[in-house]
Structure formats: structure tokens, C-alpha cells
Amino acid sequence: MPLIATDIFEKLGEWPHRGVGSEEEMEAREALITILTAEFEVEITEEGFDAPPSYLRFFWSVIIVASVAVLGANMMPVMMMLLGALGFVSYFLFFDWRVSPLIWWGAQNTTANLVASKGNGKRLYILMAHLDSAPASFAYRPGQVQNFRTALYLATGIVALGVLVPMVAGFGYEIDLATRLVFIGALIGLAVLASIDFWRFGYTQGANDNLSGVAAATMAASHLWRHMPDDAEVRLVITSAEEVGMLGAQHYWQTHREELKSRETYLINLDTVGCDQLKFVTKSGGFTPVVYNNDLTSSADVLTGSNEIFREVTDGSHEVGDFDSVWFVRDDIQAITLASYDRQGLMPQIHTMADTAGRVNVNTMTKAARFAEALVRITPGHK
């Protein structure tokens, strides 16, 4: 019998959270390995790496760098401007979901990506989902999340003080200590606001984000392993450190890039598929857009137009954060993300302590698994 998404979801929901590199994440991953060992002729491996426990360590490093640059602006304006530029560029690249210079600083927690595969051939189909759960975040509170992009731009302006203040001082306009302390206070306040919910609550349970995706991806892979596509390998990749900045997927992409580029690779990422409305994402991104326009999105259009089961699945844009698939689609590797939203186009409760199992729509989760399997079945067969 193929694996069922609801059974996997229930089993992995036994842990209160799955913070990056935590004992809880390790135990949940081991439980999933135990489930997968019953799959016939499936090879299971773990690809270990070190990661920070959350994105907050990176965020604080950027804030400290910017604060030092502001404080020392009058004494060493050129050096401080370069220091501030390091912090600002790191911040900008991180929130544009690109490789960032400082993000791996403080990578002290050992974690791993779980890889389970079967088959061989010129085509490689990857079902991907992240296992780790997010730190509780003020920015994702119900009253705040709709303002996420505005808050991001405002925060970017504050971080830019680390470059602007030394630049002004370099032109001979010294800035008094009181003003600089106000700027530093704004920077520190920004970091405190970003951290306060994690300090209070810790990691979230992450039922929707992303036990739902793990369960759906695993179910889809299990069905495909029983009736393999021709001339193909089907690979399940369960990443870690997504909530730090998609670092597990970044590690996987960098490690396997040569293989992925040399084969006919199709990657289907499932992330937060337990809301009411299932969508395939065609546009995301931070400061610059990420556009999904490939065989997988074409297949998704075919499915929604021709299969009554998937008639209510639509394409959509994602406005808050991004997905593991970003590294691959920007590298011209065919990729797509399946996600789900409420009637307002939001993912309610994620990154909050309200992201619990009782709020997950298991019917949408199961539909996501079936949609992912169907995508593999018809890609690139729809041509």
C-alpha cells in the first residue's frame, strides 16, 4: 500500500516543534526514515551540514555591523561605509532570496537533508519539502502579515543607515553623537521587534508550514515509486534550514548542481499546502521578481483545465517570503512550488503559535499530493 499523507502528518505531528538542528527535528526526521524504509527498493541517505538555529542570528549580525558603522562614521567614514555596505548588501541579498555573505555565520547546529530515491534514467523528478519549523515571528502576526512588504522596505531603509551615515560624514558633514545614537536605537529596535516573539515562544509547531508539505510530498513519491515513470528517477528531498533562509535547499542545489544541470530535471516543491485554496506559484521574489514559466507550469495549466478533480487549483503570486524552489528556478532548472492560501490570498497562522494540526485542511494537503503526482505523470508528456 502506498503511504497516505494524513498518516505521515499525524506521526510527525507528535513533536512540539522541529527547530533547525534541534533534537525534535532529528527525531522527526528519523521517524520519517523509519516510515520510508518500508518502501520497496528505495535508497535512503542523509546529507548533513551545519546551519544557524534561526535567521535571527544573521539579522542581529547585520544590525550590529550597521550600528558600528553609524557609531564610527565621523572617525573613519570610508572604512565605516564599507562595513555598512557589507551589512546592507548581505541584508538585501538575503531578503531577495539570493546567496548572502553573512547568512552562514553562526552555523553551529548540525542538521541534514533527507534524500530517498528510486529508479534511474535521463529524467529526474524531485519532490521537495522542508521539515524544519519556523521561529515565532512578530511580522507574521495576523495584524501584521498583510503589511509584510511595506515593513520590509521600511526595515531596508533603516539598515541602509549603516551606509548613508558614513557617506554623509565622508563628505565633511559630521553627525552629532545624539543623532547617531537615535539611528542606532532604530537599528536595535528593529532587531528586537524581529526577535521578540521567538524570545517569548520559541519555535512554532509548524503543522501547516510545513508538515503538510512533507506529508504531501512523501505521499506523492510513494505513489510514483509503485508505478515509476519511464526512463526516470523519482527522488524525495526533505530539506532542513528552510526557515533560516532556504539554506538546506541552497546546500542541496550547490552540492548537486552539476548533476541537476546535466539531466532533464523537474522539481516540485510543496510548502504550506494545508489552507483552503491550492495554487501553483508563478511569481514570487523579494526585491526582484522570480517568475516560474516552464514545462511544469504548463503541465499545471493542462491539469487544471482538463481534470475535474483539480478544477479549483489556480496559479498565483506569493508576496511574503519565498520557497526552496527559488535556487533552482533562478538557475534555469525547471521547478514549481505548490502552496495554499485563504480567501484573502494569505497563509494564516504560519510562523505563529497558532500553526497547529487542528487548523490544517487535510483535504487540500491530500489534493496537493495527488496534484504533484499528476504533474510528474504528464510532464513532459503534454507536449
Side-chain angles (χ1 to χ4, degrees), residues 238-250:
I238 304 299
T239 64
S240 180
E242 193 272 351
E243 301 294 0
V244 186
M246 288 85 73
L247 296 191
Q250 183 190 129

Side-chain angles (χ1 to χ4, degrees), residues 29 45-51 109-115 251 255:
R29 186 167 56 249
T45 58
E46 290 183 271
E47 299 181 357
F49 61 97
D50 291 338
N109 286 22
T110 299
T111 185
N113 294 331
L114 169 60
V115 181
H251 179 268
T255 302

Side-chain angles (χ1 to χ4, degrees), residues 54-57 59-60 135-138 141 187-203 353:
S54 77
Y55 58 83
L56 293 174
R57 190 168 293 187
F59 198 74
W60 273 97
S137 173
F138 176 86
R141 290 183 184 181
L187 286 161
I188 299 298
L190 183 64
V192 169
L193 199 61
S195 308
I196 191 167
D197 276 15
F198 182 58
W199 291 343
R200 292 176 63 199
F201 305 117
Y203 294 103
M353 303 312 288

Side-chain angles (χ1 to χ4, degrees), residues 204-283:
T204 66
Q205 183 182 356
N208 192 16
D209 183 18
N210 184 38
L211 278 191
S212 64
V214 171
T218 305
M219 174 177 164
S222 180
H223 278 253
L224 288 163
W225 287 332
R226 278 159 176 77
H227 303 284
M228 288 288 293
D230 293 336
D231 194 18
E233 175 188 350
V234 174
R235 188 179 298 176
L236 175 67
V237 179
I238 304 299
T239 64
S240 180
E242 193 272 351
E243 301 294 0
V244 186
M246 288 85 73
L247 296 191
Q250 183 190 129
H251 179 268
Y252 186 83
W253 162 62
Q254 291 173 329
T255 302
H256 295 272
R257 183 175 186 270
E258 184 176 340
E259 177 202 7
L260 301 180
K261 297 286 283 185
S262 67
R263 299 178 68 179
E264 193 175 324
T265 301
Y266 302 90
L267 185 145
I268 303 170
N269 182 54
L270 296 96
D271 196 339
T272 315
V273 293
C275 295
D276 292 335
Q277 296 186 326
L278 183 65
K279 297 187 178 185
F280 58 96
V281 176
T282 55
K283 183 178 178 182

